Amino acid sequence: MGGLVLRNVSKRFGPVGVIDDLSLEVGEGEFAVFLGPSGCGKSTLLRMVAGLETLSAGEIHLGRRRIDALAPGERGVAMVFQHYALYPHMTVRQNMGFGLRNVGMPATEVEAKIAQAAALLEIGDLLDRRPAQLSGGQRQRVAIGRAIVKQPEAFLFDEPLSNLDAALRARTRVELARLHQQVPSTMVFVTHDQMEAMTLATRIVVMNAGRIEQVGTPIEVYRRPATRFVAGFIGTPAMNFLPVAAVEAEGARATAVLADGMRVPTAIPATRLPAGPLTLGVRAEHVVAGQGSPAVVEVVEHLGERTLIHARLQDGSALVYAEPGDSALRAGDAATLQADGSAVHLFDGAGRAYHAGLNP
Amino acid sequence: MHGRRTLGDHLVLAAVVLLAAIWVAPIAWIVGLSFKPNDELMRSTGHLLSPPFTLKNYADILGASSVFAWMLNSAVVAVGQTVLTLAVASAAGYGFARTSFPGKPVLFALTLAAFAVPEQAIIVPLHTLFAEADLHNTYAALILPRLAFPFGVLLMTQYFKAIPAEIEEAALLDNASRFKVFWRIALPLSLPAQATLGIYTFLHAWNDYFWPLVSATKPEMYTLTVGLASMQTNFAQTEGIGFLMAQAVFAGLPVLVLYLFFQRHIVTAVAGGAAK
Amino acid sequence: MSGAADVLAPGAAARPVAAASAAGVGRPSLLNLLFVLPYVMLMLGLVAVPVGFGLWLSFQDYDMLGGWNGSVGLANYVNLLSDRIFQGAVRNTLLFVAMTVPAFVGLGLFLALALNDGLRRSAVLRSVFFGSSVLSVTVVTLIWRLVYMPERGLLGTVLGAFGLPEVNLVADERLALLSVVIVTLWWIIGLPMTLFLAALQQIPREIYEAAALDNAGRARTLWSITLPSLKRTILLVAVIEAILQFQIFGQVLLITGGGPNNASRPVVQFIYEAGFRDWQLGFAAAASQVLFLLMLLAALGQLWLGRRQDRG
């Protein structure tokens, strides 16, 4: 077993760059999640690790071996595909044994490994069925079982939950987390679903347009997004972004003055901020009602444990905020809103984030 | 459809049934003829349903007809052509659909162009080439030209493309070699297309006429179609109408039986490619 | 059958397959060429080379018996165009196409509309109409020569039963071609019928349900929903049948022999006789090129008409 290292990896399809000079280390036994919108290159990156796509430049190492020139089967990785990719004409048993027999493993040993994986995944009574006779969730388990029997150095998951219905997806997510405890291999998981990323990952790699935006634990990525992209991509509802009209220094700290005149005294050191236009980012739960700028309620979403209120400030910018429990507000009501300065972020024109406290 | 039956419905049904009778009548007629004594048919064909009946025409096939030898030739050619076409077209279809190699776009474009060339456009030069190679009147000459079958390759290419690439990628990750992916994964999954192409090729080979007519000129190399055609040239003088019809029934029977058993597949095979 | 099958092989009409995409599974490798190599060699040797050789032949004085006597430029083509029998063959072929194509479209469409339901009766009838197309041309012509046989034939017998005089289609200069048209329809009506049936199955049920909610009657539904949905298929069938019927050969050779008085000789029979009876290879090759050109023009013309109608 070993960690996965990507060094200066690039991928171009003709003149189109998909991955641009990307470097990353995933530690041994980590559960890394590549998270990003579709087309950001996360699946391509995973397929490059698997050997299903060639590299235009760079190196990939797994454990102590450099693997980027090896055939897919020689890399010591196993992959769980988005549509499972089970062999339709083989039974579950044959599906799981195919890779083992291809490397010449004796039949008794193959059987033992299949039995072991089947017990772990509770699919022992499905072994003689064909994929067409299985439910979606069962196929998912077989696909995982086919990966487990190979005892790979790294597991690769390519959006494996996206084909399941909502209830099954939630359950499988928990099972995957449990699996990672039982099979402590390195795991790389690709998804566009932030919920999957937040719940499964030991580290999230947020990608956008072929680049890594941020690498960090789920809480880091949520609390201290490195860029405006990460801030907007992670969290539901999405972070509010409000244009900053002016920045004033009050002591060492910066106070942001918004377009509608709202003053937000932040905990961000004023000296660190660049010149040029800034944007203020604040999550719904960090907007305080009952003080500050006047606003008009436009839509009220009752979610049960909390209520999301979509409001509009006087300068026309939209703002979503949350109230715990139910709310009596209705569309058209007036409200006054204030961003909690201790929890806001500032972003410069290039999207770079500035937080309070220890900032790079 | 819903609603009550109208007069129009009944008229349409009557027309279709009448047409069906026209389609069946000629076949029923010659089957009837084949069971009648030849000397009676010389005088009249008007009493098909009344005795005397005879099986002599069929018995004569066993002794006095070349139909058996021709049928054997047809079988060798049709089976050989089918097996070889499936092998050649499957491999090529897979190559075009799923692998990359230098020159692929050019070769694929050539295949599309070859698809548009009708048999009549090349039969004269093809015949000359085989004559120069002294290959006429052999099974090889009857089979070879039909193996260059762009339609089969395009059909298989389309089919292999429809198989999810993920499944083959999973096999690559399972340490299967390129050929093993083709042989153990793609080929078994293409069985429906193999059936379509196989049935199509077999029927085409069995019923082929123009090329065998110009290539197989020795009676012992005749296929069934050419052999039956050779008997029709002195049709006017024939004294054995019943015998002739017995041979026609005997020749037509294998494909009709095949049709009854594999009707759905055959209809798909014949129409499927064009409909796509 | 061999006729019906030919449709699919040289059918420039069938929708062209999308060009193979560059991306495949796995890495590019010269070894992958091995998959297509057998086919490529067969195609080059048995299609590409003959096409080139045929073109070359058409400009040569090449006789199977007299051998090669050098290039003659366009002489073969000039002789061809002034050849009475060839002119007749082109006319016969065009007439044959003009008669069969509308008949295949009309009858095929009628049968498909009448038999497109789940009834067992319809399934049996569909089998009947398709069944004859699995027979080879020689079996079909054996059957129909017996039908057309003077005095003792089925046609004469049936006409006699109704008290009508006998018509000898095959021996009549004006009717010989028609006799072959009838045989051809009988033989391979199954293909157009099946293509239309497949297209009818493709029309979404919801459209008919919407039409029913819009109070459309049966005739109106047929005219405003079904037929417009079949436009593409009608064009496809017309093009396929045109290409197919341009190649008319076996039925004529075996039923009328091209007669009487050349009244039913088609171009392919002309090629056959020039190339394989008279052994004038250059001349026959030139005739082949003309036929190929005619087919191409007919197919393109129909496609162009279809496209113009689409716009109009």
Side-chain angles (χ1 to χ4, degrees), chain A residues 84-246:
Chain A
Y84 320 129
L86 299 178
Y87 311 123
H89 56 303
M90 298 186 191
T91 62
V92 168
R93 189 189 304 278
Q94 290 166 331
N95 260 283
M96 290 168 72
F98 186 66
L100 302 180
R101 279 194 301 275
N102 282 340
V103 294
M105 185 180 285
T108 50
E109 209 175 320
V110 172
E111 279 304 314
K113 299 230 177 204
I114 292 174
Q116 204 182 344
L120 180 69
L121 293 164
E122 297 167 15
I123 50 173
D125 48 344
L126 305 177
L127 287 179
D128 293 313
R129 297 207 197 159
R130 285 174 199 277
Q133 300 165 294
L134 302 178
S135 70
Q138 289 170 331
R139 285 179 210 183
Q140 179 70 65
R141 285 158 175 272
V142 173
I144 293 171
R146 187 173 63 180
I148 287 179
V149 292
K150 298 204 292 183
Q151 295 181 315
E153 288 185 68
F155 285 93
L156 309 177
F157 296 90
D158 188 5
E159 309 219 19
L161 307 185
S162 58
N163 267 358
L164 303 175
D165 63 50
L168 196 52
R169 196 181 310 159
R171 210 166 69 216
T172 312
R173 217 165 55 207
V174 175
E175 283 176 7
L176 274 177
R178 195 175 299 141
L179 180 74
H180 183 231
Q181 290 162 11
Q182 289 167 324
V183 185
S185 297
T186 305
M187 297 195 173
V188 181
F189 188 104
V190 161
T191 183
H192 62 266
D193 182 320
Q194 49 159 317
M195 178 77 99
E196 286 171 19
M198 297 295 281
T199 53
L200 286 172
T202 55
R203 266 205 307 168
I204 295 179
V205 179
V206 186
M207 293 184 62
N208 182 34
R211 292 169 185 278
I212 292 177
E213 295 274 338
Q214 186 173 8
V215 181
T217 65
I219 293 303
E220 276 171 0
V221 169
Y222 186 80
R223 294 259 171 85
R224 300 177 65 82
T227 63
R228 177 170 170 168
F229 173 82
V230 176
F233 192 76
I234 294 191
T236 310
M239 186 182 279
N240 296 297
F241 293 108
L242 301 166
V244 175

Side-chain angles (χ1 to χ4, degrees), chain A residues 249-278:
Chain A
E250 290 187 12
R253 316 290 183 171
T255 292
V257 183
L258 303 186
D260 77 326
M262 186 196 299
R263 296 179 63 84
V264 185
T266 74
I268 302 166
T271 49
R272 226 186 279 149
L273 292 175
L278 293 174

Side-chain angles (χ1 to χ4, degrees), chain C residues 19-254:
Chain C
S21 70
V25 172
R27 298 148 184 245
S29 161
L30 202 56
L31 278 179
N32 292 335
L33 195 60
L34 290 177
F35 280 113
V36 301
L37 198 64
Y39 159 71
V40 165
M41 289 173 64
L42 285 164
M43 178 191 61
L44 291 179
L46 297 167
V47 180
V49 168
V51 164
F53 183 39
L55 257 179
W56 179 81
L57 264 182
S58 73
F59 298 108
Q60 311 301 319
D61 177 3
Y62 201 135
D63 193 303
M64 197 65 163
L65 310 172
W68 181 45
N69 297 313
S71 169
V72 290
L74 289 171
N76 286 329
Y77 290 95
V78 173
N79 291 342
L80 205 55
L81 295 181
S82 55
D83 187 318
R84 270 286 161 76
I85 296 184
F86 185 71
Q87 291 168 1
V90 170
R91 201 196 59 231
N92 290 337
T93 305
L94 291 175
L95 263 175
F96 183 78
V97 170
M99 285 194 275
T100 47
V101 171
F104 272 120
V105 171
L107 190 58
L109 189 55
F110 170 73
L111 289 176
L113 288 170
L115 301 178
N116 183 38
D117 55 42
L119 299 180
R120 176 138 191 85
R121 182 181 67 208
S122 298
V124 172
L125 288 168
R126 287 197 299 265
S127 314
V128 166
F129 289 114
F130 191 89
S132 49
S133 42
V134 302
L135 297 172
S136 70
V137 65
T138 44
V139 171
V140 169
T141 52
L142 260 180
I143 294 171
W144 278 87
R145 290 191 68 167
L146 258 287
V147 172
Y148 288 148
M149 185 169 61
E151 292 162 45
R152 284 167 295 156
L154 177 62
L155 184 62
T157 308
V158 170
L159 288 177
F162 286 100
L164 296 165
E166 189 176 335
V167 203
N168 193 341
L169 290 175
V170 177
D172 189 320
E173 235 175 85
R174 289 160 304 166
L175 298 176
L177 207 52
L178 181 66
S179 74
V180 182
V181 170
I182 293 171
V183 173
T184 309
L185 272 176
W186 183 88
W187 182 23
I188 45 176
I189 189 63
L191 178 70
M193 178 187 76
T194 307
L195 292 177
F196 282 125
L197 278 167
L200 283 173
Q201 300 286 325
Q202 297 291 316
I203 304 174
R205 211 179 207 3
E206 289 92 27
I207 297 187
Y208 286 109
E209 290 166 351
L213 289 173
D214 280 342
N215 284 314
R218 296 271 297 269
R220 177 119 203 113
T221 305
L222 173 68
W223 190 251
S224 306
I225 309 284
T226 308
L227 289 181
S229 309
L230 292 178
K231 243 167 115 179
R232 252 198 91 236
T233 311
I234 292 173
L235 180 68
L236 177 78
V237 169
V239 174
I240 287 178
E241 287 298 341
I243 287 175
L244 183 60
Q245 302 314 332
F246 261 107
Q247 306 175 43
I248 167 81
F249 172 54
Q251 308 97 292
V252 182
L253 188 71
L254 293 169

Side-chain angles (χ1 to χ4, degrees), chain B residues 3-263:
Chain B
R4 270 174 300 127
R5 305 207 141 268
T6 60
L7 179 65
D9 287 327
H10 291 294
L11 285 177
V12 166
L13 182 62
V16 172
V17 170
L18 181 68
L19 278 170
I22 296 176
W23 251 254
V24 173
I27 294 178
W29 162 263
I30 67 144
V31 171
L33 289 177
S34 71
F35 288 107
K36 297 294 283 183
N38 286 310
D39 49 354
E40 182 196 325
L41 296 179
M42 280 298 286
R43 282 173 275 117
S44 160
T45 56
H47 310 284
L48 287 190
L49 294 178
S50 47
F53 299 116
T54 178
L55 285 172
K56 182 173 180 301
N57 294 323
Y58 287 93
D60 284 350
I61 292 178
L62 289 169
S65 163
S66 310
V67 167
F68 267 115
W70 297 337
M71 201 176 250
L72 183 70
N73 285 341
S74 280
V76 170
V77 170
V79 170
Q81 197 174 307
T82 304
V83 170
L84 291 172
T85 298
L86 285 181
V88 169
S90 299
Y94 184 77
F96 281 128
R98 275 295 150 76
T99 72
S100 356
F101 51 84
K104 177 168 131 178
V106 177
L107 292 176
F108 194 76
L110 262 179
T111 300
L112 285 175
F115 180 53
V117 176
E119 174 188 28
Q120 290 78 11
I122 55 171
I123 197 156
V124 173
L126 204 57
H127 181 272
T128 310
L129 289 173
F130 274 79
E132 294 293 328
D134 203 15
L135 276 174
H136 285 303
N137 290 303
T138 64
Y139 288 136
L142 288 173
I143 292 173
L144 265 177
R146 302 308 199 197
L147 296 183
F149 190 31
F151 169 71
V153 173
L154 295 177
L155 186 80
M156 294 313 297
T157 304
Q158 258 183 334
Y159 197 86
F160 281 123
K161 277 188 174 197
I163 296 176
E166 265 192 357
I167 294 177
E168 290 177 39
E169 292 173 343
L172 284 178
L173 278 159
D174 268 347
N175 254 309
S177 67
R178 183 84 244 192
F179 182 76
K180 196 164 193 171
V181 174
F182 168 64
W183 188 250
R184 290 286 310 276
I185 307 294
L187 211 52
L189 292 180
S190 72
L191 276 181
Q194 306 278 347
T196 299
L197 181 59
I199 289 169
Y200 177 84
T201 308
F202 184 88
L203 275 176
H204 200 210
W206 186 269
N207 291 336
D208 207 357
Y209 179 54
F210 200 176
W211 177 250
L213 175 67
V214 299
S215 180
T217 48
K218 291 185 184 158
E220 66 266 26
M221 280 309 292
Y222 282 176
T223 60
L224 197 53
T225 42
V226 177
L228 283 180
S230 74
M231 299 191 320
Q232 294 178 44
T233 46
N234 50 1
F235 185 79
Q237 291 89 41
T238 189
E239 293 182 359
I241 291 177
F243 181 48
L244 201 57
M245 289 307 108
Q247 293 179 84
V249 171
F250 190 69
L253 213 55
V255 280
L256 278 180
V257 169
L258 207 69
Y259 172 64
L260 287 180
F261 276 103
F262 298 108
Q263 189 178 335

